Amino acid sequence: MAAFTLFACSSDDNANSNSTDDFLNQMKLVQTITNEAHSIKIYTKSGVILTGYNNIYLQIQNADGTFVEDAQINWMPMMYMTAHAHSSPKSAVVKAEGSKNTYGGFIVFQMASHASEYWELTLNYTINGQAFSATDVIQVNQAPNRNVQSFKGTDGVNYVVAMVEPTEPKVAVNNMSAVLYKMDMHDYSLVTNYTIAIDPRMPGMGNHSSPNNQNLTPGFGSFYYGKLSLTMTGYWTINLQVLNELQEVIKGEAITPTNTASSIYFDLEF
């Protein structure tokens, strides 16, 4: 299972001044899920959950205000749609590095919440051998950029690919990372031996590309890592091709004079 990344940010305007864990001074409260025994506080860096890859942190609070330090937690996100329901890719939930009572991992949300279609998060956890569960609806907002794609490959398998970095792109050669999952409704498994080829283009500037890009290949924690070259500010499309372990393209098209975009892509604007 892929590891999740800890982010640092300003403690200004944080919602966690009463937390016993200094780690959460870096985070903002999203919402609290309650059951008969506990209040489970959910945090992200921004205080919202967006489509795509999200680092999410949890803290379990007892009725007396103390925080649980020894829980084993599993989570299950579910999207309930008009005709069917589906889950989403997710990591294990582990103790956050350097923390006493904060747990975390990541979830990739493929789509935003809507009036008649909504996400629900179930938390199953044990404390000293006793089992608990808590469930509530969570709001997933649309990210400003396209950072996740679901597709069926030529092998007949459904996949989800999501961009992890860059979250703050610069005019430079940026570190880029992503996660790739095979999808089967309620079951997702990491794909760790493929290649994600990238071809960044500026559609509004003659669809020009950039030098010194590096395709994404498997690395630490089952993430894919590469280099994304952005030569100017503006709107960029990051065209993708996903290649299997035999280097066969299972989805995505090369950019040519007659084909200006791939059928799978990320985009960003800065």
Side-chain angles (χ1 to χ4, degrees):
M1 183 61 66
F4 67 96
T5 305
L6 300 183
F7 291 105
C9 66
S10 170
S11 60
D12 293 345
D13 300 322
N14 74 76
N16 315 304
S17 58
N18 63 342
S19 170
T20 64
D21 195 334
D22 289 341
F23 173 81
L24 285 182
N25 289 330
Q26 306 171 48
M27 301 294 149
K28 295 182 179 179
L29 182 66
V30 176
Q31 73 180 74
T32 301
I33 298 176
T34 60
N35 59 17
E36 69 284 354
H38 302 105
S39 297
I40 302 99
K41 299 178 183 297
I42 301 175
Y43 301 91
T44 65
K45 180 183 177 183
S46 63
V48 297
I49 298 173
L50 299 173
T51 51
Y53 175 98
N54 292 260
N55 285 297
I56 299 176
Y57 304 92
L58 309 172
Q59 201 176 51
I60 303 172
Q61 189 172 26
N62 295 305
D64 64 4
T66 60
F67 293 91
V68 175
E69 298 185 12
D70 59 352
Q72 292 77 49
I73 306 172
N74 292 301
W75 54 13
M76 176 57 73
M78 288 292 298
M79 162 57 84
Y80 291 95
M81 305 179 70
T82 303
H84 68 278
H86 65 81
S87 184
S88 64
K90 62 187 186 302
S91 74
V93 183
V94 299
K95 185 71 73 69
E97 183 178 356
S99 168
K100 296 182 298 182
N101 49 40
T102 302
Y103 308 82
F106 68 80
I107 301 176
V108 176
F109 293 99
Q110 305 97 306
M111 58 189 298
S113 303
H114 302 284
S116 59
E117 299 177 333
Y118 62 94
W119 285 96
E120 195 173 77
L121 182 64
T122 296
L123 302 166
N124 296 308
Y125 58 100
T126 59
I127 302 170
N128 297 326
Q130 185 174 0
F132 300 91
S133 184
T135 301
D136 204 351
V137 172
I138 57 172
Q139 178 68 31
V140 177
N141 299 309
Q142 184 65 47
N145 59 298
R146 182 185 293 264
N147 57 10
V148 61
Q149 289 268 252
S150 301
F151 62 89
K152 178 174 285 188
T154 56
D155 54 3
V157 175
N158 293 314
Y159 293 88
V160 175
V161 61
M163 183 165 62
V164 179
E165 294 284 354
T167 56
E168 298 179 357
K170 298 178 174 61
V171 177
V173 177
N174 296 260
N175 292 323
M176 185 175 178
S177 57
V179 289
L180 179 65
Y181 280 81
K182 290 184 178 180
M183 175 176 59
D184 184 16
M185 292 303 290
H186 303 315
D187 187 26
Y188 293 80
S189 58
L190 277 163
V191 180
T192 59
N193 56 351
Y194 283 18
T195 299
I196 304 171
I198 61 170
D199 188 346
R201 300 278 173 159
M202 293 197 81
M205 300 290 289
N207 214 39
H208 72 74
S209 187
S210 59
N212 303 317
N213 293 287
Q214 294 180 14
N215 292 336
L216 280 62
T217 56
F220 174 76
S222 300
F223 286 79
Y224 287 75
Y225 296 92
K227 298 290 185 180
L228 173 65
S229 176
L230 302 173
T231 54
M232 60 187 299
T233 59
Y235 175 76
W236 288 84
T237 298
I238 306 168
N239 296 284
L240 306 175
Q241 289 183 288
V242 177
L243 294 79
N244 65 17
E245 67 273 17
L246 300 177
Q247 294 299 292
E248 300 166 334
V249 176
I250 62 169
K251 188 66 175 179
E253 298 77 35
I255 307 305
T256 68
T258 56
N259 182 63
T260 60
S262 176
S263 57
I264 54 172
Y265 63 93
F266 301 138
D267 64 18
L268 54 84
E269 188 168 12
F270 71 108

